Amino acid sequence: CLRSLFIFAVVASLVNLGFSGAPTKCFVTSVKNNSGVTPAGLCGAWDKESDGGLFTSPNYPEKYPPDQECIYIIEASPRQCIDLYFDEKYAIEPSWECKFDHIEVRDGPFSFSPIIGRYCGQESPTYVKSSGRYLWIKFVADGELEAIGFSARYNFTQGKICEFEMSGPEGIVESIMVMKEGKALQTEAVDCRWFIRAPPGSKIYLRFLDYEMQNSNECKRNFVAVYDGSSSVEHLKNKFCSTVANDVMLLTSLGVIRMWADETSRRSRFRILFTTFHEPPCEGDSFFCHSNMCINHTLVCNGIQNCVYPWDENGCKGKYKHFMCMLTSYYFCTFDTFDQDKDL
Ligand SMILES: *[C@@H]1O[C@H](CO)[C@@H](O)[C@H](O)[C@H]1NC(C)=O
Ligand SMILES: *[C@@H]1O[C@H](CO)[C@@H](O)[C@H](O)[C@H]1NC(C)=O
Ligand SMILES: *[C@@H]1O[C@H](CO)[C@@H](O)[C@H](O)[C@H]1NC(C)=O
């Protein structure tokens, strides 16, 4: 028998480089109401919408035509899940184990992904939830006994949120925090944000200590972006996805660092030292960096270069504290004090 097969992927991979408003706003593209499309028998006519969508069997709520096989793939943005609701107005030719006409829903992007259910009869399926970003849905109609079919509505729910808050005179922002704090598995795509909050009126200096993108120059797969003032797209200051990343001087007291990495880029990594500073004249006991920065005095001779040039670590003989952060991370740093003839 003749079958028409249409595959439509609803791709939400328009990875909008900016993100605005609510920090976890879903950027989704989705499917519109496709019932009543012509020519009859077309399994879907898909369009893009901003939030969720609806799809139906061909001709719904009229009887669906015979000999159909329609495949719908719904894709959410990384870390989102899909909720699917079937309309009560539903009828699919009943059969033992739904051998004839049916809808099949699978938890994933493929025809061999784990099955959630196979449905037919007069009662609409209950609500379905995906465990990941995809649902694979097939509607099959054989050569006889047509019914009105189905209408299904879906929307997206937010998966895990990956955000960090940082403050203090200095600190280290690094990609390994994502795994350490259980924000995502090592196999999951990530879109994480670090909010660095400096005291009002001060600014932030960012210095890269380590940076490597697994898929260099593929900005759609991986990048580190720096925002100055808020996390909205108009405050994007730098985006790094090539082989090098430069230090960044922010002009506001709110810095946002964003790391994007898809499933194939999870070995991309970075470590950034942030230092908050005021512009001269340096007040109180703050330290003058011999440039446009006054930093907290506690950063002097702490083994970390906070100034653009290492004035803060110059002439630290006898009081030099070695701040050891071996290859690993911030979390494994240890302090130990030792004498060192440090002549820069
Ligand atoms: C889908 O669109 C058709 C035609 O635009 C409309 O008549 C129908 O009511 C809509 N169905 C739903 C469930 O919104
Ligand atoms: C998703 O759709 C269902 C049914 O239309 C609705 O009850 C629910 O509130 C929606 N959820 C969101 C997050 O929009
Ligand atoms: C310098 O840092 C210390 C320790 O974090 C903090 O208590 C102090 O308030 C800071 N001083 C200024 C002027 O910000």
Side-chain angles (χ1 to χ4, degrees):
C1 71
L2 248 178
R3 288 183 169 216
S4 45
L5 172 70
F6 294 90
I7 300 177
F8 295 96
V10 187
V11 180
S13 59
L14 301 175
V15 175
N16 221 330
L17 290 190
F19 49 94
S20 57
T24 56
K25 168 116 181 87
C26 325
F27 32 88
V28 292
T29 61
S30 56
V31 177
K32 235 184 202 164
N33 174 355
N34 75 335
S35 67
V37 296
T38 52
L42 199 67
C43 290
W46 299 64
D47 213 331
K48 288 173 182 178
E49 247 185 32
S50 55
D51 275 307
L54 174 104
F55 60 97
T56 71
S57 47
N59 281 352
Y60 182 90
E62 304 297 320
K63 284 186 173 174
Y64 53 80
D67 296 322
Q68 300 288 310
E69 182 170 309
C70 313
I71 292 172
Y72 310 89
I73 299 166
I74 303 176
E75 177 178 338
S77 300
R79 293 169 297 103
Q80 289 189 334
C81 301
I82 304 157
D83 286 336
L84 186 65
Y85 308 85
F86 287 90
D87 197 295
E88 283 174 13
K89 221 162 107 190
Y90 166 97
I92 292 177
E93 176 198 355
S95 58
W96 171 247
E97 290 181 337
C98 299
K99 273 192 165 51
F100 303 129
D101 298 358
H102 64 264
I103 309 175
E104 192 174 294
V105 180
R106 290 178 180 267
D107 192 13
F110 306 114
S111 61
F112 52 84
S113 295
I115 189 159
I116 294 177
R118 190 182 242 231
Y119 313 99
C120 64
Q122 306 299 322
E123 232 174 82
S124 64
T126 52
Y127 149 76
V128 169
K129 188 170 184 57
S130 71
S131 69
R133 298 170 62 188
Y134 300 94
L135 278 179
W136 184 93
I137 299 143
K138 181 167 75 167
F139 171 66
V140 173
D142 65 10
E144 46 201 271
L145 289 172
E146 289 74 49
I148 64 167
F150 73 92
S151 169
R153 215 173 258 290
Y154 66 88
N155 51 26
F156 302 106
T157 52
Q158 192 61 50
K160 279 187 273 181
I161 295 168
C162 184
E163 285 180 2
F164 304 86
E165 290 288 332
M166 315 281 294
S167 61
E170 68 170 2
I172 289 181
V173 169
E174 57 187 340
S175 49
I176 203 166
M177 292 166 74
V178 174
M179 213 181 64
K180 290 226 156 114
E181 300 193 14
K183 302 285 191 186
L185 299 176
Q186 196 50 44
T187 51
E188 286 176 320
V190 294
D191 182 8
C192 296
R193 281 144 226 189
W194 285 260
F195 293 82
I196 303 167
R197 297 181 200 278
S202 51
K203 301 179 180 185
I204 301 166
Y205 170 53
L206 301 174
R207 196 152 64 81
F208 277 88
L209 304 177
D210 182 26
Y211 166 85
E212 187 174 329
M213 293 294 107
Q214 187 174 356
N215 292 294
S216 252
N217 297 316
E218 292 191 61
C219 304
K220 280 186 181 159
R221 292 187 175 279
N222 48 188
F223 65 78
V224 174
V226 176
Y227 296 76
D228 191 2
S230 84
S231 60
S232 73
V233 65
E234 65 269 23
H235 290 136
L236 175 66
K237 191 164 175 93
N238 296 86
K239 199 180 111 197
F240 303 106
C241 51
S242 69
T243 52
V244 289
N246 307 316
D247 298 350
V248 183
M249 199 63 87
L250 301 182
L251 302 175
T252 74
S253 57
L254 171 61
V256 184
I257 293 169
R258 181 185 184 192
M259 182 196 197
W260 171 275
D262 71 6
E263 291 87 346
T264 71
S265 311
R266 283 304 306 283
R267 275 186 286 150
S268 296
R269 61 172 208 273
F270 73 90
R271 289 183 83 212
I272 297 173
L273 170 72
F274 72 82
T275 302
T276 64
F277 67 93
H278 277 94
E279 284 193 347
C282 299
E283 285 164 0
D285 52 7
S286 66
F287 178 80
F288 178 51
C289 276
H290 295 250
S291 63
N292 245 4
M293 291 169 66
C294 303
I295 61 173
N296 189 302
H297 67 96
T298 59
L299 305 182
V300 178
C301 293
N302 70 347
I304 299 174
Q305 179 192 327
N306 296 94
C307 296
V308 176
Y309 299 102
W311 289 101
D312 55 319
E313 300 302 318
N314 203 354
C316 291
K317 186 181 176 186
K319 52 180 176 172
Y320 188 71
K321 273 187 185 164
H322 190 56
F323 188 63
M324 270 177 41
C325 294
M326 309 306 297
L327 299 170
T328 54
S329 98
Y330 184 48
Y331 296 87
F332 293 126
C333 290
T334 57
F335 280 103
D336 65 276
T337 312
F338 67 98
D339 286 354
Q340 179 178 321
D341 281 313
K342 211 154 173 282
D343 254 331
L344 293 166

